[in-house]
Amino acid sequence: MRAMEADEIRMSRALREWWREGCARAGWVRTSAAFAREIWEFLRDSTPGRRRQRFGDVEFDWEHGVDTTSANVSWRSRLLGHFLSPYQPTDPALFHHLMANELMAALEVDCSKFVFVDLGSGKGRTLLMAAEYPFQKIIGVEVVPELHEIARANIAGYKSGSQMCFDLEAVCADARDYEFPHQPLVLFLFNPLPEAGLRQVMGNLGRSVAEHPRPVVVLYHNPLLEQTLARCEWLKKTGGTHQYSAYRNRGR
Ligand SMILES: C[S@@+](CC[C@H](N)C(=O)[O-])C[C@H]1O[C@@H](n2cnc3c(N)ncnc32)[C@H](O)[C@@H]1O
């Protein structure tokens, strides 16, 4: 199948699901109004002024010779992102704070025993940042093919004198269909999915942990759907601020 046809199928699936979820939650009149707002927001976001603003996040790229900015994503992928979750990379200062304060200090995680998984990994910035810690393996799952290809190129071209993990893998897949590795896990989430999708992912993870008991830590950046994780009885919140929440599985 040609890449453009695959993109069209993804786009129509994303739109259908977005519409179905919206109608179930708020009815078709409100969903039509929300659709018009999304298109308006997308067009506004395409103006040269807005694009210039997004170039504000390129310091990481200059430093490491990669392309993780959200400023130069094609209009097709940005439109798809509007109905999934728009690509936006995690800020390096916040990421390293999460690693040092929550993961290593509060949760006392020994990274060398854990696999790091970012669901909705975009251009792979978090994968590169996680490579500064001695994880056993690092995996990124991204549904938009353009972003996935850029992540692969970034992994190949990353320059850092302090890299500690070299086993990095980028997977192009829908997070809802992803089967988690059976090793101890650090799951990173930066709003990759709407509520129904996140519920499905957490259900998959809960089943995986029940079948293959192991320590699991979830780091949730910008926790807009925190209530969905709160409903997972096997998870316990261990820390957080308005910018993130941290969890681990009970009994660990
Ligand atoms: C806010 S960005 C986060 C990027 C990256 N995790 C980071 O923190 O730098 C969310 C990403 O999730 C991706 N995404 C949306 N729906 C997805 C799905 N069903 N499966 C996998 N990725 C998805 C989007 O394309 C986007 O790249």
Side-chain angles (χ1 to χ4, degrees):
M1 197 188 311
R2 286 184 306 123
M4 239 152 103
E5 279 172 45
D7 264 9
E8 270 151 27
I9 292 169
R10 274 190 189 87
M11 180 81 81
S12 66
R13 181 179 171 195
L15 264 172
R16 263 201 319 274
E17 286 172 356
W18 184 90
W19 182 263
R20 210 180 308 123
E21 238 186 81
C23 288
R25 206 178 41 244
W28 74 269
V29 175
R30 284 196 182 159
T31 307
S32 305
F35 181 79
R37 276 198 304 277
E38 288 292 343
I39 295 294
W40 168 244
E41 182 58 31
F42 170 75
L43 293 173
R44 217 171 44 154
D45 219 31
S46 306
T47 58
R50 285 286 190 106
R51 292 193 58 192
R52 257 198 308 277
Q53 268 177 18
R54 290 201 299 273
F55 268 113
D57 67 359
V58 292
E59 252 171 62
F60 179 86
D61 293 3
W62 287 335
E63 203 175 314
H64 299 287
V66 289
D67 164 19
T68 65
T69 176
S70 59
N72 56 0
V73 175
S74 77
W75 73 266
R76 292 177 71 86
S77 296
R78 281 198 308 108
L79 185 58
L80 183 55
H82 259 264
F83 292 98
L84 294 166
S85 160
Y87 173 62
Q88 193 190 339
T90 289
D91 173 58
L94 176 71
F95 184 84
H96 293 298
H97 171 88
L98 260 169
M99 289 290 135
N101 292 30
E102 294 298 334
L103 194 67
M104 282 158 27
L107 290 164
E108 296 179 345
V109 160
D110 171 359
C111 297
S112 66
K113 296 194 169 77
F114 281 70
V115 174
F116 177 97
V117 175
D118 180 12
L119 286 188
S121 45
K123 292 182 171 185
R125 183 187 288 182
T126 54
L127 311 180
L128 306 175
M129 295 190 294
E132 299 292 309
Y133 301 85
F135 285 107
Q136 214 176 77
K137 185 177 169 85
I138 294 169
I139 302 170
V141 180
E142 172 56 50
V143 75
V144 178
E146 176 190 344
L147 301 179
H148 161 72
E149 285 306 330
I150 296 172
R152 275 165 52 110
N154 283 337
I155 289 171
Y158 183 59
K159 293 187 194 78
S160 162
S162 46
Q163 186 168 352
M164 296 183 91
C165 174
F166 292 86
D167 190 355
L168 277 74
E169 185 187 2
V171 177
C172 191
D174 190 316
R176 292 169 298 182
D177 306 326
Y178 181 67
E179 193 180 323
F180 290 96
H182 297 165
Q183 290 101 322
L185 208 63
V186 173
L187 175 62
F188 187 85
L189 298 168
F190 179 12
N191 285 323
L193 296 152
E195 192 175 357
L198 185 61
R199 226 183 302 127
Q200 195 175 330
V201 161
M202 295 313 293
N204 294 344
L205 182 57
R207 273 188 297 281
S208 170
V209 175
E211 282 163 22
H212 305 276
R214 61 200 187 278
V216 171
V217 170
V218 182
L219 301 175
Y220 186 9
H221 174 194
N222 194 21
L224 295 176
L225 299 172
E226 202 171 23
Q227 75 280 7
T228 305
L229 274 74
R231 279 192 218 107
C232 299
E233 284 172 5
W234 57 276
L235 267 186
K236 178 179 173 344
K237 186 168 174 182
T238 55
T241 66
H242 66 288
Q243 286 182 302
Y244 69 82
S245 300
Y247 307 81
R248 81 176 316 160
N249 48 341
R250 291 186 190 277
R252 288 279 164 181

